Amino acid sequence: MRNLSIKNLSGPTGILAALVVLIVLFSLLNPRFASVENLQNVLFQVSVPLIIVVGTSLVIQMGSIDLSVEGVMGAAGMAWILLSPNTRLEGDIGVWAWFVALGLGLVLGLITGAIYAKLKVPSFVVSLGTWYVGLGIAILLYGNALLPSLTSEALARWPTQLTLGLPNCFWLAAVILAAGVFVSHYTKFGRGLMAIGNNEPIARSNGMPVDRYKIAAFAIAGTLCGLAGILATMQLGSGSPDIGFGQLFVVIPAAVIGGTALSGGEGGVIRSAIGVFLLIILNNGLVLAGVDPDYQSGVFGMILLIAVIAVAWPQRGRLKVAK
């Protein structure tokens, strides 16, 4: 009976129930939490990690891990702003700046996937190296000159502008999320990633192009990290190599809390997205509840640790450290 209750906590019903409890609790602690303005603020905050977690979930589904998030975001964000209207350079290339930045994320993802799949280096080692490669690119682009800030008011204001009452940045994240759900659950590629996570040797023996699937998953994750870097840069209004700071420690715990097992073969994009909402709402609620900033990180970390243990415990026998 005890095991059953723990498993229920890790299911989508349990996560949704926890989300509802948090919303009710924080609304009682501070009525402002349930205001339209705060809802819009939460959707603004959730946009970037929601985009990242789509790619992260595809990688985790096959039993791998991608730690390159922050470095790829920094590189793509810096590339984009330097090729857009900014205070440092006059090299505005319009929409092509998006293609360059997204292409950079794609290339970094392809490199990570190729080394992982073809050279059999553990994914956490390869992606950790890609993190620092991306960070190095971002620092080189940042240089020692004037801080690059957006001079286009339209670009700077786009993420916060409302369409049908919701921030534009959230609509972008929602489109990416919908595409991720379709790929993960309704395509041969998505089912293939799940099969690899469940049992890679059997997937190979059935003729599945496992290496191609692995490379493609990391390529998608890199591209989405690039998009997240662009969006985060737009939200900030200026370039920074550290634009992705802290995002890795939101999306991976969010995926685990949502029920996307680190061992692979279980969960998916929808459940990971619910985990993102839970963590962002938790952080937002702690702030509005008046928790002292000196204690917020500790309280957040403690609740996060309890949640991760509750979710991961039923799968403890399947977790693989070196895959």
Side-chain angles (χ1 to χ4, degrees):
M1 190 75 177
R2 183 182 174 187
N3 287 336
L4 180 60
S5 63
I6 292 177
K7 288 183 179 180
N8 286 339
L9 283 174
S10 66
T13 303
I15 302 302
L16 285 172
L19 195 58
V20 171
V21 169
L22 279 180
I23 292 172
V24 172
L25 175 63
F26 288 133
S27 298
L28 292 174
L29 291 174
N30 189 339
R32 191 176 144 215
F33 176 84
S35 67
V36 173
E37 292 78 9
N38 191 56
L39 171 62
Q40 293 169 343
N41 182 43
V42 167
L43 295 180
F44 177 84
Q45 294 176 18
V46 83
S47 301
V48 169
L50 207 56
I51 291 173
I52 300 169
V53 85
V54 172
T56 299
S57 295
L58 294 178
V59 171
I60 293 178
Q61 278 179 212
M62 62 180 184
S64 306
I65 196 81
D66 184 6
L67 304 180
S68 66
V69 170
E70 297 181 12
V72 175
M73 284 183 66
M78 284 301 305
W80 177 80
I81 196 169
L82 290 175
L83 297 174
S84 300
N86 67 90
T87 53
R88 183 192 294 179
L89 302 176
E90 297 181 0
D92 175 22
I93 61 173
V95 70
W96 291 106
W98 291 75
F99 287 100
V100 171
L102 292 175
L104 181 55
L106 171 63
V107 169
L108 290 172
L110 283 171
I111 291 172
T112 303
I115 294 175
Y116 166 55
K118 297 299 184 182
L119 301 183
K120 311 302 179 186
V121 180
S123 57
F124 77 90
V125 175
V126 182
S127 58
L128 186 62
T130 307
W131 177 356
Y132 285 100
V133 170
L135 182 61
I137 293 172
I139 291 173
L140 286 173
L141 292 174
Y142 187 77
N144 297 316
L146 180 69
L147 173 71
S149 299
L150 281 175
T151 57
S152 169
E153 188 175 344
L155 286 174
R157 294 179 58 186
W158 185 85
T160 55
Q161 287 178 334
L162 302 180
T163 300
L164 300 178
L166 304 180
N168 286 336
C169 58
F170 176 73
W171 284 116
L172 174 61
V175 170
I176 298 299
L177 177 60
V181 170
F182 176 77
V183 170
S184 177
H185 297 279
Y186 302 104
T187 68
K188 182 180 178 181
F189 174 67
R191 292 190 292 270
L193 294 180
M194 198 71 77
I196 293 170
N198 272 313
N199 197 314
E200 184 177 326
I202 291 180
R204 286 187 183 277
S205 66
N206 287 333
M208 183 180 295
V210 171
D211 288 352
R212 272 193 287 166
Y213 276 32
K214 288 182 176 181
I215 294 171
F218 275 99
I220 292 171
T223 304
L224 292 180
C225 284
L227 179 60
I230 295 172
L231 183 58
T233 301
M234 293 176 71
Q235 291 177 341
L236 182 64
S238 60
S240 171
D242 298 323
I243 197 66
F245 179 76
Q247 293 293 344
L248 178 66
F249 302 103
V250 172
V251 294
I252 291 181
V256 175
I257 287 174
T260 303
L262 289 175
S263 55
E266 185 175 347
V269 173
I270 295 178
R271 292 172 67 166
S272 298
I274 295 173
V276 169
F277 274 101
L278 190 146
L279 292 186
I280 297 300
I281 286 174
L282 173 60
N283 184 68
N284 178 267
L286 289 175
V287 172
L288 292 181
V291 177
D292 191 306
D294 293 334
Y295 298 107
Q296 281 178 20
S297 295
V299 173
F300 183 85
M302 181 181 66
I303 295 174
L304 179 60
L305 183 61
I306 293 171
V308 169
I309 291 174
V311 171
W313 188 258
Q315 287 97 27
R316 64 193 182 280
R318 295 183 64 223
L319 293 179
K320 306 166 189 174
V321 176
K323 190 170 180 182

